Amino acid sequence: MTLARRTLLAGGLAAFAAGVVETQTPPSPAHSDPANSTVSLDDLIRIIGRNDGGVSIRWTDGILTAHIDSVTTPLFRVMSQIFSRHRQRRDGGYDSVVFELAYFADLETRELLENWRNPFTQSTVAVPKTVLGPTPYVITPERIAKRELQYSGGVPFNHRFAIDRSADDLWITEMLDAVMPSPAPGVPGFGFHENFVYQASAADLADRSQTHVAASVQKVNVLGWRPWMLMGNIKGTTMTRAYGRVIDDIRALPETFRRLNAVHGQGLIDQLDGVLRFID
């Protein structure tokens, strides 16, 4: 298991020059649109996952770019799968547990990177395989996700949801941000701000028999340098933009993910029920 994003850390652009993202006071968890009152927390869960305790998968495929002195440089692909389960609580909230398996891949071929040549330092570094979690947290009726400090690197972790709607289009924005302290002497702190925007049909939610409704997702994050990139004293930050879907059948994963999982995800993908356990 690698020293991973939510372990090193697990928003704003003001700190671009420093490579650390400053967190801001979290906004209201819900947009002011009165239509949001018709979207329940159960509806939200059926968009971002399943409301029956079953496993869902959010896959995203996108490009990570470096931003240094106003110059943008594509570096590699980040191909992420977040496996999740949700179950309703007596207080109306939901227990959640997530597990992420991410691959850093070649920009063009999507082949897994074992080593990466840093175009700024000209050094070649080993690329870790990223396994994050399992991470348990609670989504409250107010659409705030709360986790114990032991699951957020020991620092506060801002995680919340907002809802927007226009006619049949429904958007759920999941926002996560934190700034983690330096993990080791000489290694800078690691900050991030990450948004996932899910899009679904309001009409699809009317069918209450559906434990999950079809949803696409767009991902944008702004992060400091990952420690394994060995950027030294270079000032800058990274951004990832990605697209994907939420699915409730692993067989619906894109072929590229299934191929990578067959080689690099053995022992994890086959044991999701054991990995994704709720804390009672």
Side-chain angles (χ1 to χ4, degrees), residues 31-278:
H31 190 274
S32 59
D33 185 346
N36 293 335
S37 63
T38 67
V39 180
S40 68
L41 183 59
D42 182 73
D43 292 332
L44 183 152
I45 295 296
R46 291 194 294 141
I47 292 172
I48 71 170
R50 293 174 56 162
N51 69 350
D52 65 347
V55 175
S56 63
I57 308 159
R58 180 183 72 209
W59 66 264
T60 54
D61 181 351
I63 294 175
L64 181 144
T65 55
H67 300 262
I68 301 174
D69 295 332
S70 302
V71 176
T72 299
T73 305
L75 298 182
F76 41 75
R77 284 188 174 273
V78 180
M79 303 179 65
S80 170
Q81 303 156 95
I82 295 184
F83 304 88
S84 66
R85 297 177 67 191
H86 308 274
R87 69 176 182 187
Q88 193 166 30
R89 298 163 54 90
R90 291 183 179 179
D91 63 4
Y94 274 82
D95 290 316
S96 302
V97 58
V98 300
F99 168 81
E100 181 173 8
L101 178 60
Y103 303 117
F104 299 108
D106 183 85
L107 285 169
E108 301 298 331
T109 66
R110 290 180 169 82
E111 293 296 329
L112 185 73
L113 292 176
E114 300 283 356
N115 297 285
W116 173 68
R117 184 167 179 78
N118 187 319
F120 307 107
T121 65
Q122 305 307 314
S123 61
T124 298
V125 300
V127 179
K129 296 178 180 65
T130 301
V131 178
L132 309 175
T135 302
Y137 55 87
V138 172
I139 303 177
T140 71
E142 295 75 32
R143 301 194 286 273
I144 302 294
K146 297 182 177 181
R147 67 190 70 192
E148 300 293 334
L149 289 179
Q150 69 191 83
Y151 299 108
S152 60
V155 300
F157 197 98
N158 295 325
H159 186 178
R160 65 269 184 206
F161 298 84
I163 299 173
D164 290 277
R165 180 175 178 177
S166 177
D168 187 57
D169 289 316
L170 187 64
W171 295 276
I172 304 293
T173 301
E174 181 176 5
M175 297 161 281
L176 308 92
D177 51 347
V179 177
M180 312 307 283
S182 170
V187 179
F190 188 80
F192 83 104
H193 174 74
E194 187 168 64
N195 279 4
F196 295 91
V197 180
Y198 307 83
Q199 193 277 329
S201 164
D204 288 349
L205 288 172
D207 184 355
R208 307 304 304 179
S209 69
Q210 298 299 313
T211 60
H212 168 70
V213 298
S216 62
V217 61
Q218 299 285 330
K219 167 186 171 181
V220 176
N221 67 26
V222 180
L223 297 90
W225 303 126
R226 288 171 169 81
W228 63 263
M229 296 171 69
L230 299 181
M231 296 297 290
N233 294 323
I234 297 175
K235 303 298 184 182
T237 194
T238 68
M239 175 180 286
T240 301
R241 294 197 63 179
Y243 62 87
R245 298 198 68 84
V246 182
I247 57 177
D248 60 357
D249 185 343
I250 196 169
R251 294 171 297 182
L253 277 169
E255 187 277 333
T256 302
F257 283 94
R258 287 186 279 115
R259 174 172 52 81
L260 288 170
N261 288 343
V263 178
H264 306 287
Q266 293 177 342
L268 296 172
I269 301 300
D270 299 334
Q271 301 178 30
L272 289 176
D273 282 339
V275 171
L276 292 171
R277 289 186 177 276
F278 295 109

